[in-house]
């Protein structure tokens, strides 16, 4: 199978490594990768490509005659890369722009969770500082303030300092069309579970945890993740089954019901609270750096799994 991998960070290197390592002589994998990362370039033929330009990605996919396009980061998905590749009839692992709203708009994700009956933190979507302030009064500290839109890992502030929380709210609202979510604080360890989806069937990978805070001893501001590990020996035995049954499958079904079929990786960011599992966030792509830990443990062929998802045949792979 010939695979074009979009994106060239550490996450894409981990995906590429797993694609190559889990290939078999009967099902070999040839990789075409995005130039710019010397480690990634060792794993396949490299091409320069603008990952945010759907037309450019389509040109590469068609000229290379690939069987599958795998999109690593969220920005190309939000830019419509999957839609453009699908228009050319090439299977793509990654959601359309519409389905990528599960990550691109936190208020949209909340709406889907409400309709799908998925447990998450109580929240207010605010467009003015008066609303932000009222939400702080209602929910109390610690304050959880999230930019509604994509913010490259810098959109979330969790603090008991009301002035700091207000300043973040103000910064988010200052952007054109800015909206901010103020949420209840979810107390408990966080877990990331990756679910491979074909629009109907959900296949979970192994749970992982990332280290969110910048400094040693869990100190400093939140980041996109400073490192990660898997397996989670302390997590409940039925964690994965619980997440699939009560979170991932209902969300995939709700997206299908709305005509916005979700194909790709549904990253369930969860908190294990005293009241049970709660969704912290969804992402629509492999997590970084959890992918580095999770895919290193995978033994079954990754290319076959992602191709089955992209072509609606995941029930055969389960
Ligand atoms: N590690 C968090 C993320 O990938 O968004």
């Amino acid at each position: 199978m010939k695979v074009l991998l979009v994106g060239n960070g550490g996450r894409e290197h981990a995906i590429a490594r797993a694609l190559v390592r889990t290939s078999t002589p009967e099902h070999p994998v040839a990789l075409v990768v995005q130039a710019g990362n010397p480690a990634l370039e060792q794993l396949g033929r490299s091409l320069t490509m603008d990952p945010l330009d759907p037309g450019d990605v389509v040109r590469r996919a068609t000229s290379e005659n690939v069987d599958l396009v795998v999109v690593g980061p969220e920005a190309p998905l939000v830019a419509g890369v999957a839609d453009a590749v699908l228009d050319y009839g090439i299977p793509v692992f990654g959601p359309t722009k519409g389905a990528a709203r599960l990550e691109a708009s936190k208020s949209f994700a909340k709406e889907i969770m409400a309709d799908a009956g998925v447990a998450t933190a109580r929240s207010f979507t605010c467009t003015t500082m008066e609303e932000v302030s009222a939400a702080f009064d209602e929910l109390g500290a610690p304050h959880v303030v999230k930019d509604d839109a994509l913010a490259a890992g810098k959109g979330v502030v969790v603090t008991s300092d009301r002035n700091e929380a207000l300043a973040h709210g103000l910064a988010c609202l200052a952007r054109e069309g800015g909206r901010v979510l103020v949420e209840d604080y979810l107390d408990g360890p966080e877990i990331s579970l990756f679910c491979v989806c074909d629009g109907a069937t959900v296949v979970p990978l192994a749970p992982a945890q990332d280290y969110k805070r910048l400094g040693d001893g869990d100190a400093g501001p939140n980041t996109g993740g400073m490192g990660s590990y898997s397996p989670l020996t302390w997590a409940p035995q039925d964690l994965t089954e619980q997440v699939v049954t009560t979170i991932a499958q209902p969300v995939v079904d709700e997206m299908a019901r709305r005509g916005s079929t979700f194909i790709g990786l549904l990253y369930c960011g969860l908190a294990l609270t005293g009241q049970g599992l709660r969704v912290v966030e969804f992402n629509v792509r492999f997590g970084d750096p959890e992918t580095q830990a999770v895919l290193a443990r995978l033994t079954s062929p990754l290319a076959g799994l992602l191709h089955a998802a992209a072509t609606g045949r995941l029930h055969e792979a389960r």
Side-chain angles (χ1 to χ4, degrees), residues 147-166:
D147 198 332
D148 184 53
L150 286 184
K154 298 192 172 45
V156 181
V157 164
V158 180
T159 178
S160 291
D161 179 338
R162 189 173 172 118
N163 287 333
E164 190 189 344
L166 284 168

Side-chain angles (χ1 to χ4, degrees), residues 229-283:
Y229 70 96
S230 175
L232 308 185
T233 48
W234 50 268
Q237 289 246 304
D238 65 344
L239 172 86
T240 300
E241 189 190 328
Q242 259 193 68
V243 177
V244 170
T245 313
T246 65
I247 296 168
Q249 191 68 59
V251 164
V252 166
D253 292 346
E254 175 60 21
M255 293 296 284
R257 193 189 66 76
R258 290 175 175 231
S260 189
T261 311
F262 188 90
I263 295 171
L265 201 291
L266 181 65
Y267 166 131
C268 300
L270 310 152
L272 191 52
T273 73
Q275 290 74 48
L277 276 172
R278 297 285 182 274
V279 174
V280 177
E281 64 174 356
F282 289 125
N283 294 317

Side-chain angles (χ1 to χ4, degrees), residues 11 74 103 153 192 194 210 212 223-225 267 281 283 285-290:
R11 165 188 37 213
E74 63 277 17
E103 175 167 355
S192 307
F194 298 167
D210 67 348
K212 295 246 182 275
T223 68
Y267 166 131
E281 64 174 356
N283 294 317
R285 37 77 192 170
F286 282 99
D288 192 355
E290 295 96 318

